[in-house]
Amino acid sequence: GTSLTLMSNHWLMAWMGLEINTLAIIPMMTYPNNMRNTESAIKYFLMQATASMIIMFAIIYNAWMTNQWTLFQVSNEWATTIMTLALAMKLGLAPFHFWVPEVTQGIPLTSGMILLTWQKIAPTSILYQISPSLNMNLLVLLAVSSALLGGWGGLNQTHLRKILAYSSIAHMGWMTVIVSIDPSLTILNLLIYIAATMAMFLCLNFTSTTKINALSNLWNKSTPMTITMMIILLSLGGLPPLTGFMPKWLILQELIVYNNIATAMLLALSALLNLFFYMRIIY
């Protein structure tokens, strides 16, 4: 499904890829079969199906107005706005973020890892491809609200999966803000985020840890694993000189060059919120 979306230059093929992608992860989310997993899978399915319908509406509206089905021709302003909002729903950007922590919390760690990493690739690739025609003001609004909500939401959480879900919302905000200025930075940020989040989930899965208080006993069991998790968390928070700092720094630099200084300030402050709750986990 992801490959289909990445390789297609026709809107219907790209939409089909998104649909296959959604349907393919649902059996993974419901295994092992219990009430919590099933509930999370249904929430995820309803949200993704709604977003897909809105994307289909935007595609048809754009084709009706421009007689174009190619992925790069989204010249109609309304079609672009509707498309951006639908992709924000798919990616879990604020204010459409409510499903992300709930779904991530209700499914196993391995499914959660796929949900917060691989499932972001296809919608981000569509954003990347239509980036020249996107509305900058809408992107900034979605991005800043995601970064701030991602920071605030994680403050009062004790479940590690929920914290990683809020971290995902915040990171998606950083990727969205730069997509129409320098799309290659979005890809760089996505790759680093995927690498760090996958590593974190694999560490949690290996140690069967899902709550913060369980981490305190981990130091005695496996010191190298604890140190690795600390470094990954600080990298996700964007602490220099770790890898996670690089995309944030480059994005802030680009925003300042393009005179979006207020946006850059808000994003930098939201990064502090994120870093605070990662530091608290480590502490």
Side-chain angles (χ1 to χ4, degrees):
T2 305
S3 308
L4 192 60
T5 304
L6 289 173
M7 292 187 295
S8 61
N9 59 359
H10 191 286
W11 269 118
L12 278 182
M13 292 293 279
W15 178 83
M16 221 178 289
L18 289 173
E19 283 299 282
I20 296 167
N21 206 10
T22 304
L23 293 171
I25 197 181
I26 285 167
M28 297 165 83
M29 290 166 85
T30 53
Y31 179 83
N33 197 355
N34 59 42
M35 289 295 283
R36 283 188 69 197
N37 291 1
T38 311
E39 185 193 344
S40 297
I42 290 168
K43 281 179 185 170
Y44 178 73
F45 174 73
L46 289 173
M47 199 67 198
Q48 296 295 313
T50 309
S52 287
M53 284 193 296
I54 298 169
I55 288 174
M56 183 49 99
F57 171 70
I59 292 167
I60 293 167
Y61 181 69
N62 180 59
W64 180 43
M65 298 303 282
T66 61
N67 292 325
Q68 289 283 347
W69 284 93
T70 53
L71 215 60
F72 313 106
Q73 295 286 327
V74 192
S75 47
N76 186 280
E77 199 177 325
W78 279 105
T80 313
T81 307
I82 296 164
M83 182 70 67
T84 310
L85 290 172
L87 288 169
M89 262 174 137
K90 270 200 171 293
L91 289 165
L93 288 165
F96 313 107
H97 67 288
F98 296 101
W99 64 271
V100 184
E102 295 301 319
V103 171
T104 313
Q105 179 57 28
I107 57 177
L109 283 165
T110 42
S111 306
M113 178 178 77
I114 296 165
L115 178 72
L116 294 183
T117 55
W118 187 266
Q119 292 298 98
K120 307 286 183 197
I121 296 173
T124 311
S125 76
I126 292 181
L127 265 184
Y128 178 88
Q129 289 179 71
I130 63 169
S131 57
S133 54
L134 294 175
N135 181 345
M136 188 62 195
N137 294 334
L138 180 62
L139 288 179
V140 166
L141 183 68
L142 289 167
V144 170
S145 56
S146 296
L148 289 170
L149 274 160
W152 266 316
L155 289 177
N156 59 350
Q157 299 298 334
T158 55
H159 292 276
L160 290 164
R161 277 175 293 191
K162 272 197 174 175
I163 285 173
L164 286 165
Y166 279 111
S167 148
S168 164
I169 294 164
H171 276 87
M172 281 297 134
W174 282 87
M175 287 172 223
T176 311
V177 77
I178 202 71
V179 76
S180 65
I181 296 172
D182 189 349
S184 55
L185 276 183
T186 301
I187 302 301
L188 173 73
N189 198 341
L190 184 68
L191 291 174
I192 290 171
Y193 160 76
I194 285 175
T197 307
M198 274 191 162
M200 190 66 204
F201 267 105
L202 290 170
C203 287
L204 293 177
N205 199 28
F206 183 72
T207 56
S208 303
T209 312
T210 54
K211 286 192 170 183
I212 291 181
N213 55 9
L215 286 175
S216 55
N217 307 322
L218 198 59
W219 187 260
N220 304 324
K221 287 183 195 169
S222 172
T223 310
M225 183 64 81
T226 316
I227 294 167
T228 308
M229 283 162 92
M230 283 165 66
I231 292 169
I232 295 166
L233 282 170
L234 288 175
S235 183
L236 273 171
L239 189 78
L242 299 165
T243 323
F245 171 64
M246 179 177 63
K248 287 186 166 65
W249 180 32
L250 292 171
I251 287 170
L252 291 175
Q253 197 173 309
E254 284 294 316
L255 286 171
I256 289 164
V257 167
Y258 277 82
N259 261 344
N260 285 356
I261 296 167
T263 311
M265 275 176 66
L266 282 167
L267 284 173
L269 289 169
S270 78
L272 285 177
L273 280 171
N274 272 21
L275 197 56
F276 172 75
F277 66 73
Y278 293 132
M279 293 289 275
R280 197 185 57 183
I281 296 171
I282 292 164
Y283 177 73

